[in-house]
């Protein structure tokens, strides 16, 4: 059990290690790290600005507090002097004098405010946005009315003023002015109490002290840095997405290439092309048309995701129709379906296609097919999908041409089989590598003594017929190079028997007129050779007979003359003379010669000599 647990832990560690090393994980970690650093930088800026603002506020409040302390001492001395020395009792008049002498002269930036409040009424307020109707009210009553205009955070200051306590704080009089930093202190003279206060809008304080400029500088630096980092990150993200799309497209193209290489038959290959185009572009339907080379018409070869009614109405386009002309122009078209420059019929409109791509497939500069992909939901074809379709179209052009040629070849091979299987000669077809691609029954059943295999398909011709000479090998190469047929005869000795073979090599041309295969006919001509030899013998005998007849005729004429002369000589001599006996012997010899001549004539006429 422990061993199993350890193995499981190792597997998990390996998985985690692979995950950590994956580009997606590393990119995510890098992105998260950059975002964390940016957040930390902005947090530092916000914290720095907050600390700087608070420090500035506290320093300014201390300054305001010192000022109101000084004013309070002077006000207290003045009021004390007016009451004790001058015996004045008109406190309201004294209050106005206090303001004019000690408060109105104070300048606190552009919108600063100096004020004096008694517990139950406003003595005076320097602010320009302080309505006159407030002057008879206490601070609590003033803010109770001002709250309708946006006043807030005044409770602490109001309570301190109403109860004659010193303090610092902030409040909002009008939202557009923002925070107002304030300091106040009470003044006690006998039974009278006043509170002197100063307040200044925070933005003006920050500007005057340079804190605002410093904060803007910090913010600007971090902002520019953030923009630069975000731009770089955006470029990085865009590049990453593009790389991912490129990898995805490359992988899809690789998978499509593998699928096409393993496909069997043209129909299978064309459907793979359509399915691959749909998968790569993200569309939901597609079809592929083949161009009839003879007529220029378009015929539907495969479709995916379209209704049967729509397919029936768009399975064929005659040459010269707008649809055919659009394809044969050889340029890809990416449009909304309703924007096509062809008249859509009722069925096409009912199908509800929105975006459509029509991409001609070229091979050696000629349009051989057209691949269409479309969407029932998307209104446009994305740029990445267009690029992918262009790549697919360029990739499958040669594939479609190849499978079309192979389809035609298979049909030809079927015709070849039907034709050659009834022939007794050994017929086979070889490619440029001299490997057998097609053969007839006689070839497959050829005698084992010739070195043949039962199934020679795909085998080297010279590997299974080892007695073929180097001369024949060179003749095959010559046929492939020149495209002209050749005939040769071979004399072979197999199992101590002499066999004559005739090898006829005929080129098979492709559409460009190049030889891509050779059909060979091996014929056993041993009997024909024997008959030819017999014929030669007969002709020789015939010639001898003619010669013998001629000689016999000539010799017979000579013998006739000799016999005639002997007869005349015997007539002029006595039988008792010795010469007569000699002539008689000569006559007998001549008659024997005449018999030989007759036998030659008989032989010359085809008879047998006696």
């Amino acid at each position: 059990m422990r061993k199993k647990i350890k193995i499981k832990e190792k597997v998990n560690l390996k998985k985690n290690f692979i995950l950590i090393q994956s580009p997606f994980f590393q990119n995510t970690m890098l992105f998260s790290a950059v975002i964390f650093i940016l957040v930390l930088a902005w947090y530092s800026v916000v914290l720095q600005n907050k600390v700087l603002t608070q420090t500035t506020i506290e320093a300014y409040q201390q300054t305001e507090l010192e000022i109101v302390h000084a004013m309070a001492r002077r006000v207290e001395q003045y009021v004390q002097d007016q009451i004790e020395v001058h015996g004045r009792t008109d406190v309201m008049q004294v209050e106005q004098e206090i303001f004019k002498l000690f408060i109105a002269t104070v300048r606190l930036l552009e919108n600063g405010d100096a004020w004096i409040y008694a517990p139950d009424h406003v003595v005076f307020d320097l602010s320009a946005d302080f309505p006159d109707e407030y002057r008879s009210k206490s601070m609590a009553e003033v803010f109770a009315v001002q709250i309708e205009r946006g006043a807030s955070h005044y409770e602490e200051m109001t309570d301190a003023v109403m109860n004659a306590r010193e303090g610092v704080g902030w409040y909002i009089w009008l939202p557009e002015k923002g925070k107002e930093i304030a300091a106040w202190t009470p003044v006690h003279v006998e039974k009278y109490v006043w509170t002197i206060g100063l307040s200044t809008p925070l933005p003006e304080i920050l500007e005057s002290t340079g804190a605002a400029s410093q904060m803007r500088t910090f913010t600007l630096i971090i902002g520019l840095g953030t923009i630069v980092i975000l731009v770089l990150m955006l470029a990085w993200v865009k590049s990453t997405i593009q790389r991912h799309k490129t990898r995805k497209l490359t992988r899809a193209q690789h998978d499509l290439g593998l699928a096409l290489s393993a496909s069997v038959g043209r129909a299978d290959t064309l459907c793979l092309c359509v399915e691959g185009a749909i998968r790569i572009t993200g569309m939901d339907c597609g079809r592929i048309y083949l161009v009839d080379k003879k007529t220029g018409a378009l015929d539907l070869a495969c479709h995916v995701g379209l209704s049967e009614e729509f397919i029936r109405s768009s399975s064929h386009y005659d040459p010269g129709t707008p649809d055919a002309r659009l394809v044969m122009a050889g340029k890809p078209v990416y449009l909304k379906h309703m924007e096509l420059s062809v008249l859509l019929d009722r069925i096409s409109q009912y199908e509800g296609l929105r975006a459509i791509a029509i991409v001609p497939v070229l091979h050696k500069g000629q349009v051989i097919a057209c691949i269409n992909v479309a969407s029932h939901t998307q209104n446009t074809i994305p740029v990445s999908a267009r690029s992918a379709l262009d790549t697919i179209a360029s990739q499958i052009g040669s594939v479609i041409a190849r499978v079309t040629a192979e389809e035609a070849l298979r049909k030809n091979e079927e015709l070849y089989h039907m034709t050659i299987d009834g022939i007794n000669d050994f017929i086979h077809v070889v490619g440029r590598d001299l490997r057998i691609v097609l053969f007839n029954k006689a070839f497959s059943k050829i005698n084992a003594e010739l070195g043949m295999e039962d199934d020679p398909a795909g085998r080297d011709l010279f590997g299974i017929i080892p007695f073929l000479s180097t001369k024949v090998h060179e003749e095959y190469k010559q046929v492939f190079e020149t495209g002209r047929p050749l005939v040769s005869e071979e004399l072979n000795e197999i199992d101590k028997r002499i066999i004559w073979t005739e090898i006829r090599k005929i080129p098979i041309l492709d559409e460009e007129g190049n030889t891509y295969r050779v059909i060979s006919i091996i014929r056993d001509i041993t009997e024909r050779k024997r008959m030819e030899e017999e014929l030669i013998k007969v002709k020789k005998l015939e010639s001898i007979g003619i010669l013998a007849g001629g000689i016999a005729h000539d010799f017979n004429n000579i013998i006739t003359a000799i016999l005639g002369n002997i007869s005349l000589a015997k007539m002029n001599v006595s039988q008792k003379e010795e010469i007569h006996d000699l002539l008689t012997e000569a006559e007998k010899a001549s008659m024997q010669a005449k018999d030989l001549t007759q036998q030659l004539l008989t032989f010359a006429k085809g008879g047998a000599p006696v």
Side-chain angles (χ1 to χ4, degrees), residues 42 48 106 199 206 249 285 323 405 433 448 481 518 565:
W42 277 105
Q48 175 72 16
V106 176
S199 60
L206 296 177
L249 176 60
C285 59
D323 301 85
D433 56 359
E481 292 173 0
V518 171
N565 287 324

Side-chain angles (χ1 to χ4, degrees), residues 439-455:
F439 53 91
N440 68 344
K441 290 181 179 179
F443 189 90
S444 64
K445 295 178 181 179
I446 196 169
N447 196 299
E449 66 184 1
L450 297 179
M452 298 292 182
E453 298 286 337
D454 291 337
D455 185 9

Side-chain angles (χ1 to χ4, degrees), residues 317-360:
Y317 294 105
D318 291 325
T321 59
D323 301 85
R325 288 199 301 269
L326 186 65
V327 172
M328 297 308 293
K331 301 294 183 182
V333 177
Y334 304 98
L335 289 172
K336 293 182 179 178
H337 195 246
M338 300 301 294
E339 295 176 351
L340 285 174
S341 58
V342 296
L343 183 62
L344 300 178
D345 56 21
R346 180 187 60 81
I347 297 175
S348 298
Q349 296 176 4
Y350 177 75
E351 182 66 22
L353 297 179
R354 294 188 179 182
I356 185 169
I358 302 174
V359 184

Side-chain angles (χ1 to χ4, degrees), residues 21-49:
Q21 285 197 324
S22 66
F24 176 79
F25 181 82
Q26 292 176 353
N27 291 341
T28 303
M29 291 297 294
L30 178 61
F31 183 81
S32 301
V34 172
I35 294 299
F36 176 77
I37 292 173
L38 286 178
V39 171
L40 186 62
W42 277 105
Y43 176 77
S44 300
V45 170
V46 171
L47 185 62
Q48 175 72 16
N49 290 346

Side-chain angles (χ1 to χ4, degrees), residues 72-109:
R73 288 193 296 270
R74 294 175 62 186
V75 167
E76 185 177 353
Q77 292 175 358
Y78 178 79
V79 173
Q80 189 75 32
D81 180 70
Q82 293 297 317
I83 293 175
E84 295 179 357
V85 175
H86 299 284
R88 297 181 61 179
T89 59
D90 52 345
V91 177
M92 297 294 294
Q93 183 64 33
V94 172
E95 288 178 346
Q96 295 302 315
E97 290 176 1
I98 293 171
F99 171 75
K100 292 178 181 179
L101 292 172
F102 304 108
I103 307 302
T105 57
V106 176
R107 294 290 181 266
L108 298 174
L109 305 180

Side-chain angles (χ1 to χ4, degrees), residues 479-499:
V479 173
F480 276 109
E481 292 173 0
T482 64
R484 293 194 296 270
L486 282 175
V487 180
S488 62
E489 294 180 357
E490 289 279 306
L491 179 62
N492 309 107
E493 181 179 355
I494 301 175
D495 291 340
K496 298 181 180 180
R497 290 194 302 113
I498 302 299
I499 294 179

